[in-house]
Amino acid sequence: MTPSGPVPVAGLRSGDVVMTAPRIAARIAGHTEILVSAVHLVGLPGIEIDHAMTQVTYHHLLLDCHDVVLANGAPAETLYVGPILAKILAEGPPEISVAQFADSELSDIAPARPFPDPKDARKIIAAHIRHNRPALEKWPNIATTASV
């Protein structure tokens, strides 16, 4: 959702993380701006799983810090190399270069916005559906304004 209305964000997968800025999130998760997995948005108007999609190619943006950017008009996170991803990369397939993460402090970087636990994320989206509220009620405070 953008200030001018819905914008299609092609290719979101269930694990992709997008930003919401609802008052409902503040009541449930204690934060006005949160990052939720795209799968939790299913059920909101215009958001459904595309079962015909069989392959996705990812292009991640790795910045000095975890941030929120505009992706096709919608707020979305850059690559977050937290402890879980750092471990996956270290144990991952050889075609993924992990040398850049070996002595890096990237895994210690704080997330750009809080990640609510999945149970709270489901409650937040369910409340939006129940009250017929958009997931993005106001234009969020995004420091990075470059479109991707």
Side-chain angles (χ1 to χ4, degrees), residues 131-144:
H131 299 294
N132 196 28
R133 301 296 307 239
L136 192 58
E137 294 178 336
K138 66 179 181 74
W139 193 239
N141 179 19
I142 299 177
T144 305

Side-chain angles (χ1 to χ4, degrees), residues 48-135:
E48 58 189 43
I49 296 175
D50 181 358
H51 295 286
M53 184 179 289
T54 59
Q55 184 175 357
V56 173
T57 301
Y58 282 96
H59 298 275
H60 291 286
L61 295 178
L62 178 59
L63 304 177
D64 290 340
C65 64
H66 186 232
D67 209 343
V68 176
V69 296
L70 298 179
N72 197 19
E77 70 166 342
T78 60
L79 182 62
Y80 175 59
V81 184
I84 295 172
L85 181 56
K87 182 178 179 183
I88 292 170
L89 290 172
E91 297 172 356
E95 64 270 11
I96 297 176
S97 172
V98 296
Q100 61 185 329
F101 301 106
D103 296 320
S104 172
E105 294 179 5
L106 285 174
S107 63
D108 297 329
I109 290 176
R113 305 294 189 280
F115 296 104
D117 66 57
K119 184 178 177 181
D120 281 346
R122 286 188 293 274
K123 284 182 186 177
I124 290 164
I125 298 306
H128 280 273
I129 293 168
R130 227 180 8 263
H131 299 294
N132 196 28
R133 301 296 307 239

